[in-house]
Amino acid sequence: MTSDGGIKIPSRLPLLLSHEGVLLPGSTVRFSVDSPRNMQLVSQRLLRGTSLKSTIIGVIPNTRDPEHDTDDLPTLHKIGTAGIAVQVVGSNWPKPHYSLLITGLCRFRVSSLLKERPFVLAEVEQLDKLDQYTTPATEGAAAEDEELGELSKKFYQAAVQLLGMLDMSVPVVAKFRRLLDSLPRETLPDVVASMIRTSNKEKLQVLDAVSLEERFKKALPMLTKQIEGLKLLQKTRKMNPDNEKRVLSVRKGGVFPGRQFNLDGEDEEEDGDDAVALEKKVHGANMPDAALRVCLKELKRLKKMPQSMPEYALTRNYLDLMVELPWSKSTKDCLDIRAARTLLDNDHYAMDKLKRRVLEYLAVRQLKTSLKGPILCFVGPPGVGKTSVGRSIARTLGREFHRIALGGVCDQSDIRGHRRTYVGSMPGRIINGLKTVGVNNPVFLLDEVDKLGKSLQGDPAAALLEVLDPEQNHSFTDHYLNVAFDLSQVLFIATANTTATIPPALLDRMEVLQVPGYTQEERVEIAHRHLIPNQLEQHGLTPQQLHIPQETTQDIISRYTREAGVRSLERKIGAICRAVAVKVAEGHRVTKTEDLIPESPTQKKKNIPLGKKAAPPEMPIVIDHIALKDILGPPLFEMEVSGKRLTLPGVALGLAWTPLGGEIMFVEASRMEGDGQLTLTGQLGDVMKESAHLAISWLRTNAKTYQLTNMVGSPDPLEGTDIHLHFPAGAVTKDGPSAGVTIVTCLASLFSGQLVRSDVAMTGEITLRGLVLPVGGIKDKVLAAHRAGVKRVILPKRNEKDLEELPANVHVDLDFVLAGNLDEVLNAAFDGGFPGTASTLTHPQLTSKL
């Protein structure tokens, strides 16, 4: 590579065809490589080579349009630049490609093409000297003629003039100054053309200028144009240090054309207009003084930033959000209580507590206009209408509605947003919701607040403490905004299936309203008021085509669904509508085509009427119990409690509460010869296991009183006997103290040999002294017993207050026994009473207070 004439490049060079830009000697440019030939050049030459010679390649501008590029080799440009690859980076996203950082060395001319594949290899002739870019200007030995010397001097003076108009404190300007002083003047056209903003076409003209005189003539107008544009800019706007970054761009490793800006002033004027418009919006947003000061400070920073800075877009997005937030926009509440009551009754059946609370809020709003928004929490099983009633409340008040789903959220930034120091930061869901609705007093529904998660990113439930605290949310601070926003006028409604998983501090900030499951009568009413009309509309049917009597609806509820809400009921009604839609569609098809199809000879011979098998059905189609079985199949549930399970001693019926509503639960016991061990199965929790041990201890203590014996007649029921207690279903986890009375009754039946009444269900906690303590979920448990066809329910005496919440028809259908001790429980659970109890006569019946 060396000779008497100086440093030489190899005579055979692999060629890189570039669509992206023009590489000039003395500049460094990054190229993205993804074409097959260029990819082969990188993989076979650059990555496999071990010598300096293998890193030298030729860069030829590809003037063909990349959108219409083909696999054929394009006509090669005659002049190119030899360069050394100083960096190679590979990536597979979004498609396989290499990124090359190449420093230009000298020009060359393509003499002949040696091969086209796998990459282009050509015989080249070197046109420039390599050492001129490294030799100091004072050592240049070439003698210049007068014209060339004049051009060189003029070009140098223009470059110095441009430098004088710029701020030397800016690093990129200082870099340009050092290059201007250190490099020989014959290299200045290439270096300056690569630094100032020029088009690829203009750079191609500089590249094609082989003679130094022609090169100066091509580059000097480009430099003059930049000086004139800078003069115009200085006249229209005072120069600041950031403007220099719009003229030059230098990267580590060499000088290259980066993202430069025109100096004619148009961009700056457009930026100024945008800033003025944005400032007007900031002043017109009616935001508090603290927020206004922050916005004006950010706006002042924005005016000084070039658009090329990444922080420019971040600041602009922040100001746009601040302007769009409803700092003082609100909707006027509809305070007509009569209209509100009518609308709520039309939208939802039952739910009296929720409706009463909304009407109370409206009444207080009439008396006091500055009332803070209440923070409600609707707790109840799935499918009872918690979310839909929140939407109805918003419509009743005349407010905007926004739903925020919190199920599975485990990052506190979802609530409070990200700080703006992070890449991709954004505000939290609360501020985003306010931006969406455009008012500061909407109804926010925080759905499934009991299903919040927790992770290394923080606890979202803790972040909600500020949002849902009436004493704090008037100055809620989102991390992204970093200024206070008033949430006190927002009506927050949270929904949950249970309060057990809600942190106590969060639960304390909310007004909890229980939403129990529906009774059978309420479901029938809801089906005929809402579900059936909605399903008919969704399936394109009319009441004249399909009629579902109330008796059929009751059969669907009692024999095909077992739930606290109405979702499963709605799905069953939808199945009926689809089956009827098939019949109606087939009838329409036959009616339209029977006149178009000629009667076949076979039909004439056998006198078969056309379309008889698919004749249109009579309207309306009435769904009776036979059609119900054909559509939905055999019944899934029995209407009454099966007496077959209570035909042997040692079986009792208990009541359990689940997030889905109340459930009935059988308890089974058996005994066999052994050494007095107690076996418990059915996935029981510790509390329920302790209840079983309590029941055994109490029964052993009172065995003589109640005439309880073991298998051979001994007064100790456990002597020589093992006891096995089982709680179906075995796959469901069970826990809680409320099964205590059921276990006692079950074991008393086993030890005495008497059968428990098949229509009795019970619940209650027991003590070692035989007292019956109160339990929760009474309404859900009683409704479950009512659905299952139970006639008598045994409850703790101290739960009498909970019976006032039951519907009147449940009071009529059920016989309630309030027991204060186990003696009363056993007396009511067996026909004719239980031996040894205080009274084996009929128990006093509770008189309803409703």
Side-chain angles (χ1 to χ4, degrees):
M1 293 180 59
T2 60
S3 67
D4 296 338
I7 303 174
K8 297 286 186 181
I9 63 172
S11 59
R12 293 186 174 188
L13 277 183
L15 301 185
L16 180 78
L17 307 183
S18 166
H19 281 293
E20 297 181 350
V22 177
L23 178 68
L24 293 173
S27 65
T28 300
V29 180
R30 187 174 296 277
F31 294 96
S32 180
V33 172
D34 57 5
S35 65
R37 283 191 177 90
N38 291 342
M39 293 280 284
Q40 289 291 335
L41 186 152
V42 175
S43 60
Q44 296 188 20
R45 178 68 178 249
L46 296 182
L47 297 182
R48 293 183 181 179
T50 57
S51 63
L52 180 63
K53 179 180 177 181
S54 64
T55 63
I56 298 177
I57 60 175
V59 180
I60 292 287
N62 187 358
T63 56
R64 180 186 288 180
D65 187 356
E67 294 186 0
H68 301 91
D69 201 2
T70 62
D71 195 43
D72 298 332
L73 184 67
T75 302
L76 295 181
H77 198 75
K78 290 299 181 182
I79 306 296
T81 303
I84 183 169
V86 296
Q87 187 185 66
V88 180
V89 179
S91 175
N92 286 322
W93 190 89
K95 61 179 181 178
H97 69 280
Y98 290 104
S99 179
L100 305 183
L101 193 64
I102 302 177
T103 298
L105 299 176
C106 64
R107 288 174 177 78
F108 65 82
R109 178 180 285 110
V110 179
S111 301
S112 61
L113 194 63
L114 300 179
K115 66 175 183 177
E116 297 183 8
R117 295 185 184 278
F119 54 86
V120 180
L121 185 66
E123 186 82 28
V124 299
E125 174 190 354
Q126 182 174 338
L127 300 177
D128 296 333
K129 294 181 180 180
L130 277 176
D131 52 359
Q132 65 183 358
Y133 291 95
T134 57
T135 304
T138 56
E139 298 179 7
E144 303 174 351
D145 56 29
E146 292 183 3
E147 185 179 0
L148 181 60
E150 187 67 25
L151 281 173
S152 172
K153 183 177 179 182
K154 191 174 182 180
F155 189 90
Y156 180 79
Q157 290 174 347
V160 172
Q161 182 183 359
L162 178 64
L163 274 174
M165 301 173 69
L166 303 176
D167 187 358
M168 289 300 298
S169 63
V170 179
V172 69
V173 180
K175 176 76 172 179
F176 183 43
R177 178 71 189 184
R178 289 195 300 270
L179 291 174
L180 199 62
D181 292 339
S182 61
L183 291 179
R185 292 188 180 181
E186 57 264 28
T187 66
L188 291 183
D190 290 334
V191 174
V192 173
S194 65
M195 294 185 72
I196 63 177
R197 185 192 180 207
T198 52
S199 66
N200 285 339
K201 184 177 180 180
E202 291 173 319
K203 290 180 181 177
L204 202 58
Q205 293 176 358
V206 176
L207 177 67
D208 290 343
V210 177
S211 69
L212 193 56
E213 182 180 346
E214 184 182 1
R215 203 178 305 163
F216 274 115
K217 290 180 180 179
K218 294 291 184 182
L220 185 58
M222 304 177 191
L223 187 59
T224 305
K225 180 182 177 182
Q226 299 295 325
I227 294 174
E228 292 174 353
L230 197 56
K231 286 180 180 179
L232 180 62
L233 177 62
Q234 287 179 334
K235 290 179 181 179
T236 58
R237 186 175 174 184
K238 186 178 179 180
M239 197 89 172
N240 62 68
D242 290 331
N243 288 105
E244 280 67 37
K245 298 178 184 178
R246 303 188 181 200
V247 184
L248 305 174
S249 183
V250 175
R251 275 191 190 169
K252 190 174 182 180
V255 185
F256 80 106
R259 183 175 180 181
Q260 298 125 346
F261 290 77
N262 198 349
L263 298 179
D264 57 6
E266 294 180 2
D267 294 335
E268 285 74 12
E269 289 180 5
E270 291 177 4
D271 295 345
D273 294 341
D274 289 345
V276 171
L278 189 57
E279 188 171 3
K280 289 181 180 179
K281 292 180 180 179
V282 168
H283 287 288
N286 293 326
M287 59 182 68
D289 291 340
L292 181 61
R293 286 195 298 270
V294 172
C295 283
L296 292 178
K297 181 180 177 182
E298 293 293 327
L299 189 62
K300 186 178 179 180
R301 292 180 62 242
L302 186 73
K303 291 178 180 178
K304 297 180 180 180
M305 290 183 197
Q307 288 189 357
S308 59
M309 289 184 65
E311 195 173 353
Y312 181 90
L314 299 177
T315 306
R316 182 59 190 261
N317 292 340
Y318 174 76
L319 289 173
D320 287 340
L321 175 66
M322 294 287 281
V323 168
E324 292 176 11
L325 284 178
W327 299 96
S328 58
K329 298 178 184 177
S330 59
T331 54
K332 187 176 181 181
D333 284 348
C334 177
L335 301 178
D336 189 343
I337 295 181
R338 288 188 178 180
R341 179 182 284 112
T342 302
L343 183 59
L344 287 172
D345 288 339
N346 290 339
D347 284 352
H348 291 85
Y349 183 74
M351 292 192 172
D352 296 328
K353 274 188 178 181
L354 273 59
K355 296 176 183 176
R356 190 186 312 127
R357 183 63 182 86
V358 176
L359 297 178
E360 289 170 357
Y361 173 73
L362 287 177
V364 178
R365 280 283 283 113
Q366 284 187 358
L367 304 177
K368 183 176 175 62
T369 56
S370 60
L371 180 66
K372 293 181 179 179
I375 298 172
L376 310 177
C377 181
F378 299 160
V379 179
V384 297
K386 300 184 296 296
T387 302
S388 59
V389 81
R391 188 174 285 105
S392 293
I393 289 173
R395 191 163 57 251
T396 301
L397 297 174
R399 293 191 180 190
E400 297 292 333
F401 177 80
H402 185 71
R403 174 178 170 268
I404 300 176
L406 296 179
V409 172
C410 57
D411 187 352
Q412 61 107 13
S413 297
D414 278 7
I415 307 298
R416 306 196 64 171
H418 305 81
R419 299 192 185 278
R420 284 193 292 143
T421 54
Y422 298 123
V423 176
S425 59
M426 62 181 66
R429 295 195 184 191
I430 304 295
I431 295 299
N432 260 336
L434 289 168
K435 175 188 171 185
T436 301
V437 297
V439 292
N440 63 3
N441 64 338
V443 174
F444 266 17
L445 185 78
L446 306 177
D447 219 358
E448 310 294 356
V449 75
D450 59 325
K451 297 174 182 62
L452 284 169
K454 183 187 290 188
S455 68
L456 296 175
Q457 283 73 37
D459 185 2
L464 279 176
L465 294 179
E466 183 184 2
V467 177
L468 300 181
D469 192 336
E471 301 300 324
Q472 299 181 34
N473 65 8
H474 64 277
S475 59
F476 169 70
T477 304
D478 185 275
H479 286 159
Y480 184 84
L481 292 187
N482 207 25
V483 293
F485 194 95
D486 185 6
L487 300 179
S488 61
Q489 299 304 312
V490 179
L491 173 55
F492 287 102
I493 299 177
T495 68
N497 296 132
T498 176
T499 58
T501 55
I502 302 177
L506 182 59
L507 190 63
D508 180 62
R509 285 162 167 78
M510 299 186 290
E511 180 182 344
V512 177
L513 297 177
Q514 295 289 340
V515 187
Y518 298 114
T519 64
Q520 182 162 334
E521 288 72 17
E522 289 172 343
R523 282 193 185 85
V524 172
E525 197 67 30
I526 291 170
H528 284 271
R529 286 192 184 191
H530 303 288
L531 303 184
I532 294 177
N534 288 345
Q535 289 297 319
L536 289 178
E537 182 181 356
Q538 290 181 17
H539 292 84
L541 299 173
T542 63
Q544 289 73 34
Q545 294 171 319
L546 172 61
H547 176 62
I548 303 178
Q550 285 208 356
E551 295 78 11
T552 303
T553 308
Q554 290 175 350
D555 277 352
I556 299 173
I557 294 169
S558 60
R559 306 180 72 183
Y560 289 92
T561 64
R562 187 63 57 86
E563 59 176 347
V566 291
R567 285 199 181 119
S568 181
L569 173 60
E570 187 172 19
R571 285 192 286 268
K572 300 299 181 185
I573 295 173
I576 294 173
C577 292
R578 290 192 296 272
V580 172
V582 173
K583 296 292 183 184
V584 173
E586 286 179 345
H588 284 178
R589 182 179 60 81
V590 171
T591 303
K592 291 178 182 178
T593 58
E594 60 183 354
D595 295 331
L596 302 177
I597 303 175
E599 193 173 3
S600 66
T602 306
Q603 288 173 325
K604 288 181 180 179
K605 183 177 180 180
K606 297 185 178 180
N607 295 322
I608 301 176
L610 185 65
K612 183 176 180 181
K613 291 184 179 180
E618 295 183 3
M619 298 295 174
I621 298 176
V622 180
I623 305 297
D624 55 12
H625 67 280
I626 299 176
L628 194 63
K629 187 174 181 181
D630 291 340
I631 296 173
L632 300 182
L636 303 177
F637 305 100
E638 295 291 337
M639 291 183 60
E640 304 290 338
V641 177
S642 175
K644 295 180 180 179
R645 300 187 69 168
L646 297 172
T647 55
L648 294 174
V651 183
L653 184 62
L655 297 174
W657 180 91
T658 71
L660 305 179
E663 293 286 345
I664 61 170
M665 177 179 64
F666 285 92
V667 180
E668 302 174 351
S670 62
R671 58 181 176 177
M672 66 289 294
E673 292 183 2
D675 52 3
Q677 291 185 355
L678 174 63
T679 303
L680 301 172
T681 55
Q683 286 210 47
L684 308 183
D686 291 338
V687 178
M688 190 171 280
K689 291 178 181 178
E690 291 170 359
S691 296
H693 287 288
L694 272 174
I696 287 286
S697 298
W698 185 84
L699 287 171
R700 293 182 68 181
T701 304
N702 297 277
K704 291 183 180 180
T705 305
Y706 296 107
Q707 303 173 18
L708 305 178
T709 63
N710 63 0
M711 298 179 67
V712 296
S714 172
D716 184 358
L718 283 185
E719 184 179 349
T721 305
D722 285 346
I723 306 297
H724 188 162
L725 270 174
H726 180 62
F727 294 77
V732 180
T733 304
K734 310 168 193 69
D735 202 4
S738 62
V741 296
T742 313
I743 298 172
V744 169
T745 305
C746 174
L747 292 175
S749 170
L750 178 68
F751 296 150
S752 66
Q754 295 194 45
L755 296 178
V756 180
R757 286 181 51 166
S758 61
D759 60 350
V760 172
M762 61 199 76
T763 184
E765 182 181 355
I766 62 171
T767 70
L768 201 56
R769 300 300 177 188
L771 299 179
V772 180
L773 301 183
V775 293
I778 293 297
K779 183 174 182 181
D780 288 325
K781 293 176 180 179
V782 171
L783 292 179
H786 186 257
R787 287 196 302 266
V790 170
K791 300 301 180 185
R792 177 180 292 181
V793 178
I794 303 173
L795 301 173
K797 191 175 185 62
R798 287 162 61 183
N799 282 117
E800 181 178 0
K801 62 183 184 302
D802 298 311
L803 297 180
E804 297 179 2
E805 300 179 2
L806 297 175
N809 65 298
V810 175
H811 275 276
V812 173
D813 294 342
L814 294 181
D815 178 18
F816 294 100
V817 177
L818 299 178
N821 53 60
L822 289 174
D823 191 74
E824 297 174 2
V825 172
L826 295 177
N827 192 47
F830 294 87
D831 278 326
F834 195 71
T837 56
S839 172
T840 57
L841 302 176
T842 59
H843 64 279
Q845 182 174 351
L846 175 70
T847 303
S848 172
K849 294 183 179 180
L850 297 180

